[in-house]
């Protein structure tokens, strides 16, 4: 149903395609660096010609409709998916090697009800779950876990089975788990999906706080940029096998997105909130029909 | 004179009884040890089996273990080796084809009757005293030779040692595979390693409780434990405790009659599970700690976070919404 239209790179001029990181961190080695990166499944190209340097401490939001390759982008950064061509480095090294310094908040999926893990065990897995053998210093781990639970406000349900927790509660634990490694890079995949406004705010503040406190780089995949718009430095906007990179003001514009989508797109702002909508008279073909609000 | 005769024969019989008793004692001691070791392995391995949702696979492995043992019997090879080869082979096939896929279960379902059929074929081709000497399907009457015990202990120690070495990563990979993989853990390698350990454990269990009843040792105790707690540590302890009760208790009860061990083991195991299930139901009804937990949770806010203002369009989206 989706046309395989391999593109050699993002079309059109503009500063949004410039890969340069903010000047403040120009001399620091980039936390994430992609060069001529292309990702394709078969002859379906998700994105190609991607050159991107994310500076340490930078907050990058990855936007795009379903199926545009946002999760795949994170998988590339995690080293779980090889690029079709080009190179990628995280923390100056191969993604797999950097994995220990990466905090990852996965796209939400609940735990089976009878999973033998309590909230604190889930967080503890972020602390030392990757180490071999059995836990030899439970007290040290417990202290760290208690600290993390406190930080995300999950102390009250520390002993509750994870399978019985709500989506918002599980998501806070996921954030605590990701923070456990004191990550220099945080990768969040739709971390706000299906959360109510309150929990969206809570989770995005936690991620922001990690960046403020420890200078962590953040890559935040989301459908809706509004809950994090105040924190975002740059946006990687994926659509139609192409993309735009730039500050929110550079990318979230009617002309830029219309060009990206190849159809009329309107970017509306109200009360500081941003709404991207397609025009109903659009006859242009896009990736998938549900991308455009009629 | 008559008195002297009686004395003589009673003396003889008492000697024989003593001899018998000594022999019996060695056999019982061996099987008690075997049961205790199996209980430990079954309880620990079972916890991971439950975490990984492999109950059905255990059954499939057991059938192929049975086929391997029967084949060994037929060609005059060592039965334990045969059952080991059968189950490890089955476990590896399942490990490599990837059991978490949905087709995994149907694959096991296909493999299982095939293994069982093969085993029955081999057993019927075998003209020895198969029914007397080996009850590969339904378990043995109390008789574990010292050699058998030694091999069991060695293999059990091996399984447990490897499990301890990979304990945390295996737990991580079993309960949260995607994040574990993102953390750099060799999730697939751990999965295959665990299947091998499971294969060895099944082969050990088949010798005592029989291929058809392996689940009573490798599933039921862990399932009962998980009814009572969601702490991973306590789950393992309870699971081992229940498995020991079933195994050692079953062997002690089986001493009385000619019935194999397995009915005793499975009955104790089932009874423990039933009790645990009732306890869980009662707890869930009365305490309902889930609701209590979520009620307190929604009122808490993490440090530094402010309540959402709720202004603006809740449906606002920065991508054209679906
Ligand atoms: N391993 C894979 N093999 C083939 N196609 C894939 C694979 N992973 C993802 N895809 C496809 O790539 C597209 C992008 O997927 P994904 O990165 O999950 O999108 P998003 O997270 O933006 O919704 C989807 O159409 C999906 O079907
Ligand atoms: Mg996704």
């Amino acid at each position: 149903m989706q046309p395989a239209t391999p593109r050699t790179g993002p079309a059109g001029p503009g500063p949004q395609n410039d890969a340069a990181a903010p000047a403040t961190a120009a001399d620091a080695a980039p936390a994430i660096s992609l060069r001529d990166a292309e990702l394709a499944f078969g002859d379906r190209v998700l994105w190609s010609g991607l050159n991107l340097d994310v500076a340490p401490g930078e907050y990058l939001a990855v936007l795009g409709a379903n199926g545009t390759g946002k999760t795949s982008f994170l998988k590339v950064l995690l080293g779980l998916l090889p690029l079709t061509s080009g190179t990628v480095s995280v923390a100056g090294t191969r993604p797999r090697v950097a994995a220990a310094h990466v905090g990852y908040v996965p796209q939400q999926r609940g735990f089976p009800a009878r999973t033998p893990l309590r909230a604190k065990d889930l967080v503890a897995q972020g602390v030392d779950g990757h180490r071999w053998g059995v836990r030899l210093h439970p007290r040290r781990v417990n202290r760290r876990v208690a600290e993390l639970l406190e930080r995300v406000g999950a102390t009250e349900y520390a002993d509750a089975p994870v399978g019985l927790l709500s989506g918002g509660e599980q998501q806070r634990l996921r954030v605590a788990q990701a923070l456990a490694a004191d990550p220099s890079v945080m990768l969040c995949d739709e971390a706000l999906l299906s959360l109510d406004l309150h929990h969206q705010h809570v989770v995005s503040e936690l991620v922001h706080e990690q960046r403020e406190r420890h200078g962590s780089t953040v890559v935040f995949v989301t459908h809706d940029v509004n809950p994090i718009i105040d924190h975002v430095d740059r946006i990687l906007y994926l659509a139609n096998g192409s993309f735009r990179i730039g500050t929110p003001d550079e990318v979230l514009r009617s002309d830029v997105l219309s060009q990206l989508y190849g159809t009329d797109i309107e970017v509306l702002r109200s009360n500081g909130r941003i709404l991207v909508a397609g025009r109903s008279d659009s006859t242009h073909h896009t990736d998938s029909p549900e991308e455009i609000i009629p | 004179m008559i008195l002297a005769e009686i004395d003589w024969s009673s003396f003889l019989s008492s000697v024989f009884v003593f001899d018998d008793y000594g022999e019996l004692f060695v056999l019982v001691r061996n099987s008690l040890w075997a049961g205790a070791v199996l209980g430990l392995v079954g309880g620990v391995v079972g916890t991971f089996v439950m975490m990984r949702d492999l109950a059905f696979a255990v059954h499939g492995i057991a059938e192929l273990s049975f086929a391997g043992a029967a084949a060994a019997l037929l060609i005059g090879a060592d039965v334990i080796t045969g059952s080991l080869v059968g189950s490890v082979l089955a476990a590896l096939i399942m490990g490599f084809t990837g059991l978490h896929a949905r087709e995994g279960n149907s694959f096991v379902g296909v493999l299982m009757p095939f293994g069982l059929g093969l085993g029955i074929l081999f057993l019927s081709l075998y003209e020895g005293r198969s029914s007397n000497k080996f009850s590969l399907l339904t378990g043995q009457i109390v008789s574990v030779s010292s050699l058998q015990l030694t091999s069991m202990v060695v293999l059990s120690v091996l399984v447990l040692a490897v499990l301890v070495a990979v304990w945390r990563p295996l737990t991580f990979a079993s309960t949260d595979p995607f994040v574990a993989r993102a953390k750099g853990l060799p999730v697939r390698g751990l999965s295959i390693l665990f299947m091998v350990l499971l294969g060895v454990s099944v082969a050990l269990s088949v010798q005592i409780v029989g291929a058809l009843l392996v689940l009573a040792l490798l599933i039921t105790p862990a399932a009962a434990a998980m009814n009572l707690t969601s702490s991973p540590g306590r789950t393992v302890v309870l699971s081992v405790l229940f498995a020991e009760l079933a195994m050692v208790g079953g062997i002690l009860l089986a001493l009385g009659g000619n019935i194999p061990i397995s009915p005793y083991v499975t009955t104790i195991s089932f009874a423990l599970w039933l009790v645990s299930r009732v306890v869980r139901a009662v707890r869930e009804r009365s305490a309902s700690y889930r609701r209590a937990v979520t009620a307190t949770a929604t009122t808490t806010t993490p440090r530094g976070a402010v309540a959402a203002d709720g202004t603006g369009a809740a449906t606002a989206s920065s991508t054209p919404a679906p």
Side-chain angles (χ1 to χ4, degrees):
Chain A
M1 122 184 155
Q2 281 150 334
T5 38
R7 302 198 180 185
T8 46
Q16 61 270 26
N17 292 329
D18 197 329
T24 50
D27 35 335
I32 293 167
S33 176
L34 291 124
R35 284 282 164 274
D36 291 321
E38 176 183 296
L39 185 67
F41 293 114
D43 56 359
R44 173 155 186 242
V45 179
L46 292 182
W47 29 266
S48 69
L50 179 58
N51 286 295
L52 174 65
D53 281 336
V54 185
E58 197 182 348
Y59 198 124
L60 176 78
V62 181
L63 306 181
N66 283 330
T68 48
K70 303 184 298 296
T71 296
S72 305
F73 178 73
L74 289 190
K75 283 186 178 169
V76 166
L77 298 183
L78 287 164
L80 299 178
L81 202 58
L83 286 171
T84 316
S85 68
T87 59
V88 55
S89 73
V90 175
T93 168
R94 284 187 301 121
R96 278 327 263 162
V97 179
H101 308 289
V102 171
Y104 173 55
V105 180
Q107 196 160 349
Q108 221 184 90
R109 65 194 83 186
F111 288 90
R114 309 235 45 92
T115 304
L117 287 182
R118 295 159 301 178
K120 60 182 179 190
D121 302 312
L122 182 68
V123 178
Q125 285 190 339
V127 177
D128 70 345
H130 58 289
R131 294 189 193 283
W132 300 99
V134 290
R135 188 170 296 149
L136 294 176
H137 305 286
R139 205 166 301 161
R140 196 187 307 162
V141 174
N142 289 345
R143 213 178 308 131
R144 177 89 176 113
V145 168
E147 201 179 289
L148 288 160
L149 287 171
E150 165 87 31
R151 193 157 146 200
V152 302
T155 308
E156 285 80 3
Y157 48 93
D159 287 308
V162 283
L164 300 183
L165 295 174
S166 75
E169 289 161 348
Q170 287 191 6
Q171 206 64 356
R172 281 201 226 179
L173 296 176
R174 286 300 197 184
V175 173
Q177 186 187 39
L179 295 177
D182 211 353
S184 60
V185 175
M186 281 203 73
L187 307 177
C188 307
D189 196 354
E190 307 272 14
L192 307 179
L193 199 70
S194 79
L195 299 187
D196 56 38
L197 278 179
H198 168 68
H199 281 105
Q200 285 187 2
H201 187 80
V202 164
V203 169
S204 61
E205 282 302 318
L206 286 166
V207 173
H208 176 61
E209 193 187 76
Q210 171 68 16
R211 176 173 82 135
E212 294 288 285
R213 277 214 228 164
H214 303 275
S216 305
T217 308
V218 177
V219 177
F220 204 110
V221 166
T222 181
H223 262 80
D224 180 6
V225 78
N226 286 303
I228 57 169
I229 191 70
D230 294 336
H231 310 146
V232 169
D233 295 320
R234 278 197 298 169
I235 286 174
L236 167 62
Y237 202 115
L238 303 171
N240 270 357
S242 188
F243 62 86
R244 284 294 182 284
I245 302 170
T247 63
D249 286 340
E250 286 168 349
V251 173
L252 298 177
R253 281 166 32 187
S254 299
D255 57 334
V256 172
L257 292 190
S258 294
Q259 193 188 25
L260 184 61
Y261 276 97
T263 184
D264 264 353
I265 299 283
E266 210 162 4
V267 179
L268 307 166
R269 286 165 201 260
S270 90
N271 269 345
R273 295 197 152 243
I274 298 164
L275 175 67
V276 179
R279 297 227 175 92
S280 52
D281 57 341
S282 162
T283 51
H284 286 75
H285 185 83
T286 55
D287 259 353
S288 60
E290 77 267 22
E291 268 181 18
I292 304 298
I293 299 172
Chain B
M1 211 160 70
I2 288 170
L3 196 74
E5 251 181 54
I6 289 170
D7 268 359
W8 178 240
S9 68
S10 73
F11 172 68
L12 268 184
S13 69
S14 77
V15 167
F16 276 122
V17 166
F18 182 76
D19 263 7
D20 270 358
Y21 180 77
E23 211 172 290
L24 188 68
F25 179 74
V26 169
L27 289 178
V28 169
R29 194 190 55 191
N30 279 354
S31 46
L32 276 177
W33 271 113
V37 167
L38 264 190
L40 183 60
V41 172
V44 175
V45 172
T47 314
F48 287 103
V49 168
M50 288 304 289
M51 267 184 209
R52 305 176 69 86
D53 205 11
L54 288 176
F56 201 48
V58 170
H59 209 140
I61 293 170
E63 311 305 7
L64 265 114
S65 185
F66 162 68
L73 207 57
L74 183 63
I75 63 172
D78 179 43
V79 177
I80 300 176
T81 312
S83 100
L84 261 176
V85 168
S87 61
V88 171
L89 208 65
L92 277 177
I93 292 173
M94 291 177 192
F96 277 104
T97 50
L99 264 173
H100 287 289
R102 200 154 281 272
E103 75 262 29
N105 265 350
S106 62
F107 180 65
V108 175
V110 169
L111 209 60
M112 211 165 67
F114 176 65
L116 197 54
L118 267 187
I120 290 169
L121 172 71
F122 294 148
L123 270 193
S124 58
L125 288 178
Y126 176 68
E127 305 213 317
R129 303 163 293 157
S130 66
S131 53
N132 304 337
K133 213 174 169 189
F134 302 99
S135 305
L136 294 170
L137 278 175
T138 56
Q140 282 188 28
I141 302 168
V142 184
S143 64
V144 176
S145 70
S146 292
L147 185 69
Q148 211 179 349
L149 177 64
T150 312
S151 72
M152 277 176 112
V153 170
V154 168
L155 286 171
S156 299
V157 167
L158 208 68
V159 168
L160 290 174
V162 175
L163 273 181
V164 166
V166 299
W167 194 273
R168 281 180 290 185
L170 184 63
T171 310
F172 201 168
S174 302
T175 53
D176 198 3
F178 201 74
V179 175
R181 210 156 87 85
K183 270 274 181 190
L185 285 177
V187 171
R188 192 169 150 73
L190 283 167
S191 167
I192 289 166
L193 176 71
F194 179 71
M195 288 310 280
V196 173
L197 297 179
L198 180 60
V200 174
S201 313
V202 168
L204 293 177
S205 314
V206 164
Q207 294 172 50
I208 302 293
V209 292
L212 290 179
L213 305 166
V214 162
L215 290 179
L217 182 59
L218 280 168
I219 306 293
T220 320
M226 282 165 70
N227 276 336
L228 297 179
T229 178
S230 53
S231 146
R234 248 172 276 158
T235 301
V236 174
V237 170
L238 284 178
S239 172
V240 167
L241 181 72
F242 294 159
E244 292 291 356
L245 279 175
M247 283 307 296
V248 177
I251 290 169
L252 288 176
L253 288 179
L255 284 180
N258 286 336
I259 307 172
I261 294 174
S262 39
Y264 296 104
V265 174
T266 50
T267 306
I268 297 176
S269 195
F270 179 68
L272 287 170
W273 180 84
L274 210 58
V275 170
S276 76
R277 188 64 189 83
V278 168
V279 169
R280 181 183 135 197
V282 168
R283 266 197 204 162
E284 274 173 5
R285 183 165 297 193
S286 63
S288 158
Y289 56 155
R290 172 197 180 165
R291 237 164 290 148
V293 159
T294 44
T296 54
T298 45
T299 60
T300 59
T301 315
R303 235 171 45 213
V306 215
D309 56 13
T311 56
T315 52
S317 167
S318 51
T319 59

